[in-house]
Amino acid sequence: YLSFGGSILSQCPKCSLTLTNPLPNPRHSALEPGFIGPLYTLLKEYPRVQWLRHGRKEAVLDIGCGQGYFLANAKKFGWKTTGIDPYASRTLSSVRKDIYVSFTSTKSQDKTFDLITFWESLEHMPNPLTVLQRVRKLLKPKGTLLIEIPNLGSLEAKVFGKYWFHLAPTHHTTH
């Protein structure tokens, strides 16, 4: 157990999954604001874009897509793009017809996507197993699922301990 900002992080001794308890209030748990500038975008997006160069270039679903930077790059490489972000504003959704606020609003059929990505978004979801079960149905039989999440066992987490940025108990529900 680790106490952090009024929340307790409890870890399963068998699988190391760590949960934030109590869960954040949904009204206060929007994705943390980040500095989105040229350097940040380059550092975060460059490794991700490499997947786009070598994939089948058919259909990609980015869950937790934010402003859609990854999707914009996917389009440049010829992918058919879909993004889901519960915090996508109406303005963004009206400009970007490929970004939706929920699974149900996409009207995607089962076995639709060749690539499904979670770029630092799965840890924000209070019930990741339910989300992954839905994603499994959406992924084509030989499709690829990429999940990037902060690693509680990383050197960075060990160095910063309870001050590690990615603990973020008001935003991250699972670790």
Side-chain angles (χ1 to χ4, degrees):
Y1 294 102
L2 174 67
S3 178
F4 187 84
S7 293
I8 294 177
L9 302 179
S10 55
Q11 189 173 59
C12 173
K14 292 181 182 177
C15 70
S16 299
L17 177 69
T18 304
L19 301 175
T20 299
N21 189 6
L23 289 175
N25 182 330
R27 291 182 300 164
H28 304 296
S29 62
L31 300 179
E32 60 264 0
F35 170 71
I36 306 296
L39 181 59
Y40 175 86
T41 302
L42 177 66
L43 292 175
K44 292 301 261 187
E45 293 299 318
Y46 180 77
R48 297 171 182 175
V49 169
Q50 298 313 304
W51 280 97
L52 299 170
R53 291 178 194 248
H54 306 292
R56 288 187 296 240
K57 296 185 171 78
E58 293 180 26
V60 60
L61 170 63
D62 186 18
I63 301 172
C65 66
Q67 299 295 310
Y69 295 112
F70 180 75
L71 295 175
N73 283 314
K75 276 189 180 198
K76 290 177 188 175
F77 287 102
W79 290 77
K80 179 182 173 193
T81 60
T82 303
I84 298 174
D85 198 306
Y87 304 105
S89 68
R90 288 183 189 183
T91 306
L92 178 61
S93 295
S94 67
V95 173
R96 295 286 307 268
K97 299 296 184 194
D98 60 344
I99 296 179
Y100 303 89
V101 295
S102 69
F103 281 113
T104 55
S105 63
T106 67
K107 299 183 177 116
S108 295
Q109 303 295 317
D110 288 353
K111 302 190 185 333
T112 300
F113 298 100
D114 302 283
L115 173 63
I116 299 178
T117 60
F118 290 86
W119 300 121
E120 296 191 28
S121 59
L122 188 62
E123 70 275 12
H124 294 262
M125 300 173 190
N127 196 345
L129 182 57
T130 301
V131 173
L132 290 172
Q133 288 168 337
R134 175 68 180 125
V135 162
R136 184 176 187 182
K137 292 177 184 177
L138 292 171
L139 192 62
K140 287 183 179 178
K142 297 219 180 224
T144 301
L145 173 65
L146 294 176
I147 301 172
E148 176 185 274
I149 59 172
N151 182 352
L152 198 57
S154 70
L155 176 62
E156 182 183 68
K158 290 174 183 163
V159 167
F160 289 101
K162 69 179 185 177
Y163 301 105
W164 185 44
F165 172 77
H166 289 292
L167 282 176
T170 58
H171 307 294
H172 295 174
T173 60
T174 55
H175 310 272

